Amino acid sequence: MLRSLVGSEMCIRDRLYIDMDPDIELRGPKLGAILQQHNRFPANDKFADDFSKNAAKLLARVQAELAKKGVTTAAGGHGDPPQWTFEGRKEDSTIHKTVKFIQKSPTPRDLDLEAALKALRQEWYTEEDTRNEVACGLAIEAGPAAALCNLLQSSDKEIQGLASDCIKDLSIVGGHFGGGLMEFRQTVVGEGGVERLLAIIRAGGGDDAKTLNHKAIMALNYVTRVSSGKESLTQAGGIEVLIQLVNDPDSTKQGRTVALANLWNLVYPKASKDLMIQNGILDMIEKYLPWDRSRQIGLAPDTHVISQEGIKCCFFIASHLSYNYPVEVNECGIVDYALEVLRKEERSVPSSKSQFLEGACRLLDTVAMDEKTRPTLLDSPSRDTVRTMLFVLTDLNQDVDDSEGVSSVTTEKEGAPKEAFKMRAAAALDWMCKSMPQVQRQVEEYIQRMSKAGRGAQSAVHEESSLVWMAVKPTLLDLMNQAPGLFESLQAKLSQPEPSYDLLILLTAPVSKWSEFDSTFSSELQSLLSHRLFDPAVHPGSSMATRWAILCQSLIMAGLAEDVAQNWNQGKGSFIPDLVVQLIKWLQGGHPYKADAAKLMSILVANVHLQEPAFELVQQRTDLLSKMENKVAGSTENSALMAFRADGAQYLRTAIGCLSTQ
């Protein structure tokens, strides 16, 4: 029988090995570390030693593996931050300890501070070099905003750059709009972060400072997605600085792109539009575009100076400016360029180009909205606007196999809202049909062709995927109702196995009574619609925001939402309660097109059966109470409950308004 080595024998053995290989003390641990790295998770310690950090890393790995199989989505769904229950004390985590060290304000040139900032960023990056929201949440809970904003004033450019990077990373998470994860963007604004980032950009400094300036402007792009950040940047003179950056011949292509993205963030208020016009933004746009207005031709873009994303920002900026300056926008050449882009587009649209095309169509929508500029869309044969819009509706389709998503300074990781360019094209046509008989005739002929195609033996889905965008526009819906047999042929498709969500939304638009909706759509079809649109596992992120928007519009279109508000009761299925829950979540998240959700919810909360669940969901956002302080009596939980009981519908409408404008 073998016996164990006694202590003296072990010492003799160890000395023998050391004599044979003097470096064994180094080689042994290294070999052990390699084995642990390949065979254990985490690699070098016990899981419980740093539960928070290891849980975040494990979650990221699991999500990455599931994503490869196409069966997962971002935790939380609909823009909600991921939820994870941590065991142990969060303040014992590496992230919390690192933040606490940074908060001690060591000397600006302290190498330990530089190392700590670098280490902190590494805590929320996975092996795939993507941010982990759980780790970001832990960092934000430790309260780093004040310390990071103070470091923006450091005399050490390296420290300034690292602080800018940390602010950017923590501002990216938590939805595309609003205060961000745990209101981090809002906190940075309150600590003076916007003014200090702008001061870095203003300081310039030649080629040596370009990297630092780029980091600062990237951070600004995400911090200013909350309304208070926009206001702070505008008041600090940010609009003038950003326009100068785009015009500066020494600016890099990426620097121009991010400056344009910041201008897009700022363009919404009327005062900002006025400042932009005063500072020559339309001249800036005209110089940026690859377009010779005098010859009405598109030029080959200089890829060293401009980018597709920069042009997309120009489209959106111009479309918002058009609300107040339609004539000026229409005359600067960008409308003609947008039409040229759409006519030359390939029929299969990749995700990377979806929002670019939406910007072009949105610009045409706002130009068509104004009575002064609407006729100009038909003045020139070269514009050919109606045929171009019908081409967009019928022939441009987002590639269904293009599921990798897009991540950029203006687009969420999951990609832009799907086929939003069709929604904007239909809106432009609706405006033109209101007052232009020749456009109405062209659209009537188009609807008749689609109606005949829908009744054909080889009927395909493309009829409903084109008509659904038109059905939520009042003038276009009237024309569709006049088309003989159109809706009858579409209703016949409900008997098909798993009809498309476009068909279900389309057939909702002309319905005015809940009883009619309930008889048209069986409980199975209602469940199917809920699953297709409401389940974040089916469509993560903002990809379905456009379908959500047109669903809201279709429920409002013929008065169905009003009928639900007056006559729906708890015994009439789960579709409406499910809808209310998801609408509130959508408003709480950072997705686009919130106005449609807010408009529908403001109608539905008149129904007393829907007020209690809506109130419970609204109260989950405790930060909302402070925003409502001056709008609803009191801001505490008890006074909010009292205000709700006094007038539930009014309280909820106020809360919805606050959520939709965050």
Side-chain angles (χ1 to χ4, degrees), residues 430 434 440 444 447 470-483 486-487 557:
D430 191 67
K434 289 180 187 296
Q440 188 168 318
E444 285 175 341
I447 292 172
M470 302 171 67
V472 295
K473 301 301 173 186
T475 306
L476 297 179
L477 179 59
D478 288 342
L479 297 178
M480 292 172 66
N481 281 325
Q482 295 170 23
L486 173 62
F487 281 103
M557 182 58 57

Side-chain angles (χ1 to χ4, degrees), residues 11-270:
C11 292
I12 293 169
R13 181 202 64 187
D14 292 343
R15 281 199 301 273
L16 176 63
Y17 287 146
I18 293 170
D19 290 338
M20 294 171 59
D21 186 351
D23 295 327
I24 194 169
E25 290 183 344
L26 300 176
R27 298 181 193 278
K30 184 176 181 180
L31 177 61
I34 293 172
L35 292 173
Q36 286 179 328
Q37 179 68 29
H38 286 83
N39 296 298
R40 290 185 57 204
F41 185 91
N44 299 314
D45 56 0
K46 293 181 180 179
F47 196 93
D49 287 347
D50 193 340
F51 183 88
S52 301
K53 175 182 175 182
N54 293 326
K57 289 185 175 180
L58 178 60
L59 178 61
R61 285 194 182 186
V62 170
Q63 287 182 329
E65 290 302 316
L66 291 175
K68 293 176 183 177
K69 304 182 184 336
V71 296
T72 189
T73 182
H78 294 293
D80 299 332
Q83 301 297 318
W84 188 277
T85 303
F86 294 96
E87 297 177 4
R89 296 194 307 162
K90 295 177 183 178
E91 57 267 26
D92 290 338
S93 70
T94 305
I95 291 176
H96 270 243
K97 290 176 181 177
T98 307
V99 171
K100 295 305 176 187
F101 172 78
I102 294 170
Q103 289 172 334
K104 291 179 181 178
S105 301
T107 57
R109 306 189 73 84
D110 192 330
L111 293 179
D112 289 338
L113 174 59
E114 182 179 324
L117 289 167
K118 290 179 178 178
L120 184 61
R121 291 194 74 206
Q122 288 303 313
E123 290 293 333
W124 54 67
Y125 277 100
T126 65
E127 292 179 359
E128 293 77 21
D129 201 31
T130 57
R131 281 169 219 85
N132 181 275
E133 288 201 13
V134 178
C136 289
L138 279 174
I140 292 171
E141 281 186 329
L148 292 173
C149 289
N150 286 335
L151 292 176
L152 294 174
Q153 296 177 304
S154 169
S155 58
D156 188 323
K157 291 190 181 336
E158 184 68 23
I159 296 296
Q160 285 182 308
L162 288 168
S164 300
D165 284 338
C166 288
I167 290 173
K168 177 203 70 177
D169 290 343
L170 297 178
S171 296
I172 288 175
V173 294
H176 201 66
F177 300 105
L181 187 61
M182 302 179 194
E183 295 294 295
F184 180 76
R185 297 170 194 156
Q186 183 68 53
T187 306
V188 170
V189 173
E191 295 291 344
V194 169
E195 293 82 0
R196 294 173 189 181
L197 288 166
L198 185 62
I200 292 174
I201 299 168
R202 273 198 169 115
D207 292 339
D208 295 340
K210 280 187 177 179
T211 300
L212 174 59
N213 290 350
H214 181 69
K215 291 181 177 183
I217 198 170
M218 284 290 288
L220 267 180
N221 179 57
Y222 294 102
V223 172
T224 55
R225 289 183 174 179
V226 64
S227 57
S228 59
K230 296 176 175 61
E231 294 169 5
S232 296
L233 184 55
T234 301
Q235 292 170 3
I239 288 174
E240 297 91 323
V241 173
L242 293 168
I243 291 176
Q244 290 170 8
L245 275 173
V246 179
N247 286 329
D248 187 350
D250 293 329
S251 294
T252 63
K253 177 174 73 173
Q254 193 174 19
R256 284 189 173 93
T257 299
V258 183
L260 286 165
N262 275 272
L263 287 167
W264 180 6
N265 279 344
L266 300 179
V267 73
Y268 300 94
K270 171 65 164 58

Side-chain angles (χ1 to χ4, degrees), residues 452-464 489-490 493 496:
K452 291 177 182 178
R455 294 195 296 271
Q458 302 297 322
S459 174
V461 176
H462 77 268
E463 290 86 20
E464 61 219 46
S489 63
L490 291 169
K493 290 187 176 185
Q496 297 176 352

